[in-house]
Amino acid sequence: EVQLVESGGGLVQPGGSLRLSCAASGFSLSTYWMSWVRQVPGKGLEWVANIKPDGSQKFYVDSVKGRFTISGDSAKNSLYLQMDSLRVEDTAVYYCARGGGHLDWGQGTLVTVSS
Amino acid sequence: DIQMTQSPSSLSASIGDRVTITCRASQGISNYLAWFQQKPGKAPKSLIYDASSLQSGVPSKFSGSGSGTDFTLTISSLQPEDFATYYCQQYNSYPLTFGGGTKVEIK
């Protein structure tokens, strides 16, 4: 059974940093594209970033380029999102998702950027 | 960026109704389209990928069709557990983009 479990969310001040983790089980991270998708509570879904199975390609939405970094660790079968220079508008629930078509999702972790 | 436009943004339907939701892409995306269901406080759940392929474990009352720019999600007979918000998403080109959602409510 595929499982994705996010962690690392919390309250951070504007300009601060946070690292999100997504522990995967039931499949190997090295065989699927993996994404981060976020959702402001009560609003729609926004794709943030994704990474090729071998880590050789990474893509980002324009609003996070230069501030967020997606990475994966095949030994730990985990996906990460390093978020720097956080802004109030980055406040959202962050989900990790498996595959180009986002076949499976974690339960999400809430990131709140506020002073 | 490819804009994904869903219609309607909300609808009211009765148990047993056939429901159709439309998603239009601002440019051709072949069949690189997915549909998701989301209930309040929960993560999205994959229903359909590649426009018409049913995700494993999803009941056959859900079906998807379309190619190019116009796509539909159909629920053949609406049940209480189907009341939720539905999103489409294209994965043909970056940035990956979602539709604004369709909220299906009880009439």
Side-chain angles (χ1 to χ4, degrees):
Chain A
E1 180 195 5
V2 170
Q3 264 202 318
L4 298 166
V5 179
E6 301 95 336
S7 60
L11 174 64
V12 62
Q13 292 189 335
S17 297
L18 215 53
R19 188 196 195 207
L20 305 183
S21 299
C22 171
S25 59
F27 72 100
S28 172
L29 222 60
S30 59
T31 57
Y32 285 92
W33 282 82
M34 293 294 295
S35 288
W36 287 98
V37 177
R38 66 185 178 184
Q39 185 174 38
V40 174
K43 302 296 184 183
L45 299 165
E46 180 184 38
W47 169 80
V48 173
N50 70 358
I51 183 169
K52 196 175 179 181
D54 63 4
S56 63
Q57 288 183 288
K58 303 174 184 182
F59 298 90
Y60 301 90
V61 68
D62 281 352
S63 59
V64 309
K65 279 180 185 174
R67 301 188 300 121
F68 290 12
T69 304
I70 188 172
S71 63
D73 184 333
S74 56
K76 295 182 178 180
N77 215 35
S78 291
L79 179 73
Y80 305 100
L81 187 68
Q82 177 66 42
M83 304 187 295
D84 299 320
S85 303
L86 281 160
R87 304 169 180 169
V88 170
E89 55 266 33
D90 295 318
T91 294
V93 175
Y94 285 73
Y95 298 99
C96 63
R98 178 179 74 105
H102 299 146
L103 301 173
D104 296 280
W105 298 62
Q107 86 288 350
T109 187
L110 176 63
V111 172
T112 304
V113 185
S114 174
S115 53
Chain B
D1 298 4
I2 297 176
Q3 309 303 318
M4 305 300 293
T5 303
Q6 281 183 240
S7 59
S9 56
S10 65
L11 65 90
S12 294
S14 300
I15 301 298
D17 281 355
R18 180 182 181 89
V19 169
T20 298
I21 299 168
T22 296
C23 181
R24 175 164 288 176
S26 60
Q27 60 192 79
I29 60 171
S30 185
N31 67 331
Y32 295 110
L33 184 102
W35 289 98
F36 305 94
Q37 176 193 67
Q38 188 178 33
K39 296 181 180 178
K42 300 294 186 182
K45 173 188 173 184
S46 171
L47 299 175
I48 302 284
Y49 64 96
D50 292 347
S52 60
S53 296
L54 197 65
Q55 168 71 314
S56 175
V58 173
S60 58
K61 62 181 172 181
F62 292 98
S63 63
S65 65
S67 182
T69 60
D70 294 312
F71 302 86
T72 58
L73 173 70
T74 299
I75 309 171
S76 60
S77 177
L78 203 64
Q79 296 303 305
E81 63 270 19
D82 302 329
F83 292 94
T85 300
Y86 294 84
Y87 295 94
C88 63
Q89 180 233 320
Q90 67 82 18
Y91 47 102
N92 179 76
S93 61
Y94 290 101
L96 308 186
T97 46
F98 290 85
T102 296
K103 188 173 184 179
V104 177
E105 298 176 304
I106 302 173
K107 182 182 283 185

